Structure formats: structure tokens, C-alpha cells
Amino acid sequence: MTTGTRRRMGVEERRQQLIGVALELFSNRSPDEVSIDEIAAAAGISRPLVYHYFPGKTSLYEAALRRAAEDLAQRFDEPREGPLGARLQRVMGRFFDFVDEHGPGFSALMRGGPAQSVSGDPGSSSAATALIDSVRQAAYEQIVSHLDLVAVPPRLELVVRSWVSLAESTALLWLDGRRTERAALELQLVHDFGALVAVAGAYDEEIAGVVRRILAQEPPDGPFTDLAVRLLALLPAEAEVPAQAAPVE
């Protein structure tokens, strides 16, 4: 019986292979359900060789989380070109691509990862928390960078951070049955961003200036134009603004 020749990998190449294998396994089951033997078998190497590259499952789990966190953070990278609505739609598309690819792992990490540890190691939970926080911070910084502000008003910081959390919780709810069409949900999240910033602009003139600039760059078929049309359609034709609700000069 003839067997194929197994190619010898360099140290870093083997480490990256093991991280990739572990990430795939951890994406579908909780860390405690995945054994080193399974990881070794999936990588085509022996159990002792896994320990040659990683001291234990905790360190391998953290390395897999780090790769996933870096990948997820990169989904928010977007060139600062064109209308903001279209940019956010592309970001949401890449974000949900990640959620689709790593559904069970994304859900386990966001819902329970920070509170649980790998084989009783409390260090794994703190590492997961730090990585999740780094993704949220990267997402926040990316979104804010598209608003072209020298300094971010406190109210706007709250809005953007709240929207990042909303995208995260919406993705988790969507994974539980996927009862809403994904494309519609992505558009809704873009609309949510526009609505939240617009409401903040009603209380802050600097943010109102941001809203005006965004709308001035929005094409007739853009998502924020679509949002305005949908909101206006909710009003009855004979609706009038009450006198007491007139804009304050």
C-alpha cells in the first residue's frame, strides 16, 4: 500500500494551520466540547505535536479568537469614497458574511464567551472579553472616521457605540432561526444608523450639520433617501406639525 508524502511545514506555517483548524472547530462547538485529539486529527498531526506549538488548549483557543477578532474588525474597513449610506451597506454585507461563516462560534462568543472559561481557566474568559472589546472599538473608530469630524461630540459617540451594539445584538437574534431576510436586515441596520444620528442631530447643532452633509451627498436611490421616503409614508396626508411642536428659533 502506497501512501502520499506529507509535506513538512515550517513552525509559523504549522501554527497558522492549527489556528485555522481550531477556529473552524470552535466556530461550531463550545471550546470545552473540542478536544486536542480532534484538533490534532483535523490537522493531520499527532497530539504531542500540537503541544509542541501550543502549551495547551487555552492558548490555542485564544489564538483562534484573536484571528477571528482581527477578521471581524477588518470587515468594518471601508474606503472613504462615495455616499455614506452605500459605504455602510457594504460594511453590513461583510459583517453578516462573517456571522454567516462563523455563526455558532460568533453566537457562543458574544453570548457566553466572556463569562465562560476553557477547561476552568479564568484567563480564557478575560482574553475573550478583551478581544470582543477590541472589535467593538475598531468598529466604532472606523464608523466615526467616515463622519469627517475633528472631535466627536459626546452625544454622537453614544449613538455610534449604541449602533455597533445594535448590529451585534441584531446578528445574534438573526442567527436564532434566520427568520428575516438577511439583505433586508442589513438595510434596516443602515436605516437604524441614519435614524439614530438624525435624532441626535435634533438635540445638537454640530450633529445636525453632520446629518445635513450626509443627506446632501446621498443619491436619490441611496439607503438614507429610502429611509426618508419610508418615514414620510407613515404620516397621514393631512398631518400637520402642532404649533407647540414647531422648531425653536
Side-chain angles (χ1 to χ4, degrees):
M1 180 176 176
T2 304
T3 58
T5 302
R6 183 176 297 173
R7 183 173 66 87
R8 182 182 297 276
M9 293 186 182
V11 173
E12 186 56 29
E13 186 181 7
R14 178 65 77 184
R15 280 179 56 85
Q16 293 305 315
Q17 183 217 16
L18 285 170
I19 291 171
V21 167
L23 179 58
E24 184 174 351
L25 292 171
F26 291 140
S27 289
N28 291 285
R29 285 182 289 158
S30 69
D32 282 331
E33 294 175 347
V34 178
S35 69
I36 288 292
D37 287 332
E38 282 184 89
I39 296 171
I45 61 176
S46 66
R47 175 189 174 96
L49 195 54
V50 175
Y51 285 110
H52 175 73
Y53 294 99
F54 292 94
K57 189 167 70 171
T58 295
S59 62
L60 185 50
Y61 175 64
E62 291 175 2
L65 281 183
R66 192 170 299 108
R67 178 184 287 187
E70 291 169 354
D71 183 3
L72 182 53
Q74 287 172 1
R75 305 295 173 112
F76 286 86
D77 287 348
E78 175 66 28
R80 291 158 186 72
E81 300 172 357
L84 180 61
R87 299 184 213 174
L88 288 178
Q89 272 197 287
R90 290 191 290 270
V91 168
M92 285 296 93
R94 292 193 299 270
F95 173 71
F96 273 89
D97 282 344
F98 180 93
V99 174
D100 240 345
E101 294 163 13
H102 305 285
F106 177 84
S107 181
L109 177 63
M110 295 300 180
R111 283 181 168 143
Q116 65 188 12
S117 58
V118 180
S119 302
D121 183 352
S124 62
S125 62
S126 59
T129 300
L131 286 169
I132 293 169
D133 287 344
S134 71
V135 171
R136 290 170 177 154
Q137 181 63 24
Y140 165 77
E141 290 174 0
Q142 278 294 323
I143 298 304
V144 163
S145 71
H146 288 272
L147 302 180
D148 299 323
L149 293 167
V150 175
V152 181
R155 191 187 298 271
L156 186 57
E157 178 181 352
L158 289 174
V159 164
V160 177
R161 291 192 185 279
S162 296
W163 180 76
V164 170
S165 296
L166 176 62
E168 175 187 309
S169 59
T170 298
L172 288 171
L173 290 169
W174 176 73
L175 282 171
D176 187 15
R178 307 187 186 215
R179 292 181 293 273
T180 303
E181 183 186 1
R182 176 182 146 177
L185 208 54
E186 292 170 9
L187 177 60
Q188 181 182 314
L189 281 166
V190 176
H191 284 176
D192 288 338
F193 180 87
L196 288 169
V197 176
V199 170
Y203 295 89
D204 187 301
E205 181 54 35
E206 185 177 1
I207 300 175
V210 173
V211 174
R212 295 188 192 101
R213 188 169 69 247
I214 291 172
L215 293 178
Q217 298 171 350
E218 190 73 2
D221 61 347
F224 291 144
T225 302
D226 179 52
L227 171 63
V229 171
R230 289 174 184 270
L231 291 177
L232 289 172
L234 296 175
L235 298 176
E238 66 279 5
E240 294 183 2
V241 179
Q244 65 268 28
V248 179
E249 297 294 337

